[in-house]
Amino acid sequence: MTWEELEQLPEDVADQIELWDGRVVRGRRGPGERQTAMRRLTNELERCARDDMSAHPERCWRANFETNVFFGSTGKSDFVTPDFLVHRCLPPGAEVRATDTLLVGEVLSPSNTPAEMEAKKARYASAGIPSYWEIDLTPGLTGIGALRVYVLQVGHAELPPGVHLLRNANYLLASQWTPDFGAGISFPYPFFIEIPWPALAF
């Protein structure tokens, strides 16, 4: 399917589709608690981005949620829709390209399979997006149970003779937090991010 064909579909159907090199991949919305977690985290990322821009006026970041990220420098038939993201400021109406994007994240829901999430994470990594965040909800969907931050590996690991990498880019786990360990989230990239757990509670 092309982007132009996707635009012909009813909006409620098109909103649940991603195109991976023109192949239709159905996105899953999940429970309402997933949207709540996504909204809480996006609001906090936006607050941290504004703090960074106040201290460094030469920088400009935008935090957003459920926004298409297009791969390649042109065309729109290859994209994913992360649950939340941070990208460089762009002119009004401009498409967000992977090269503009610094951070993407997903809120996992019970319907997500590990294989689906690994495939999506691999697409983000192959596109060179520097950071990937992943949120687990608690088993009872009463809040955020864990948050993990991955960063794109710089350079290649040394492998045994005859062993080759399946992918040319990979994320490495850089940090993880749970509400019962520490006061909140603190991470230095792509700007200083400090989020107290109460700000994410629901």
Side-chain angles (χ1 to χ4, degrees):
M1 178 180 280
T2 65
W3 174 263
E4 291 71 25
E5 291 169 328
L6 181 66
E7 286 188 307
Q8 301 305 310
L9 296 176
E11 190 173 338
D12 60 328
V13 175
D15 282 350
Q16 297 183 46
I17 291 175
E18 296 176 346
L19 296 179
W20 294 18
D21 289 320
R23 182 171 59 92
V24 173
V25 177
R26 182 174 170 267
R28 296 190 174 128
R29 292 277 184 242
E33 291 81 3
R34 182 173 163 275
Q35 277 74 25
T36 301
M38 177 174 54
R39 193 172 60 250
R40 296 273 195 279
L41 186 63
T42 302
N43 289 344
E44 288 300 299
L45 288 172
E46 182 177 43
R47 179 186 57 77
C48 294
R50 287 179 182 274
D51 289 347
D52 182 74
M53 290 187 295
S54 292
H56 304 279
E58 73 281 6
R59 300 180 187 172
C60 190
W61 318 117
R62 290 286 180 266
N64 219 324
F65 59 92
E66 291 187 335
T67 300
N68 296 335
V69 174
F70 295 94
F71 298 122
S73 57
T74 60
K76 296 171 75 174
S77 298
D78 190 15
F79 72 91
V80 292
T81 309
D83 288 339
F84 55 92
L85 68 155
V86 174
H87 60 83
R88 294 179 183 87
C89 293
L90 298 168
E95 292 100 15
V96 178
R97 296 279 164 184
T99 51
D100 303 314
T101 309
L102 302 168
L103 180 160
V104 291
E106 300 289 340
V107 180
L108 305 187
S109 63
S111 62
N112 295 124
T113 67
E116 287 172 340
M117 296 317 300
E118 281 303 312
K120 199 164 189 179
K121 192 191 302 186
R123 288 185 61 74
Y124 292 141
S126 295
I129 296 173
S131 187
Y132 169 75
W133 289 36
E134 197 169 76
I135 291 175
D136 287 331
L137 298 176
T138 59
L141 303 179
T142 56
I144 292 174
L147 191 151
R148 290 175 294 279
V149 172
Y150 298 82
V151 293
L152 199 62
Q153 181 177 359
V154 177
H156 294 289
E158 212 173 296
L159 301 173
V163 176
H164 303 284
L165 293 172
L166 178 63
R167 299 184 183 98
N168 63 356
N170 188 38
Y171 287 118
L172 301 176
L173 182 62
S175 217
Q176 62 182 355
W177 301 269
T178 59
D180 55 358
F181 184 76
I185 292 143
S186 183
F187 200 70
Y189 185 83
F191 39 79
F192 183 66
I193 296 169
E194 189 156 21
I195 304 172
W197 281 116
L200 300 176
F202 58 90

